[in-house]
Amino acid sequence: MSDPVARQGPAAGAAPPAQNVEYRVAHLQDRLAAEELGELGVRSEIRAGAVVVTGTVPSAQCRETLLRVVHEELAGITVHSDIVVAETARPDHAEEL
């Protein structure tokens, strides 16, 4: 009789293999560039067993969409995000020089 654990794959909570994480991060970058977001200014890197996503987006809605896609692609992986929304509103006062 075969070992049931061997058929189920890695134990729950075990870190995914680094190769799998690298593939998933590359797939995320392709998806961000190709889909409705078209975000090329967002970077994703593997650091200390987690994925760090950084960059600037034009709106809060774009940030929410980006984070949704990141969590879909990297489910089960620790993700830290530092996504900044660019301030595109007109200044409300003159700049003092």
Side-chain angles (χ1 to χ4, degrees), residues 10-49:
Q19 179 181 5
N20 187 25
V21 174
E22 290 172 5
Y23 171 81
R24 291 173 68 187
V25 168
H27 188 264
L28 170 66
Q29 291 170 335
D30 289 344
R31 185 172 170 191
L32 291 178
E35 289 189 4
E36 75 268 10
L37 290 174
E39 287 301 327
L40 298 174
V42 175
R43 296 183 53 164
S44 15
E45 301 174 350
I46 302 169
R47 294 185 192 163

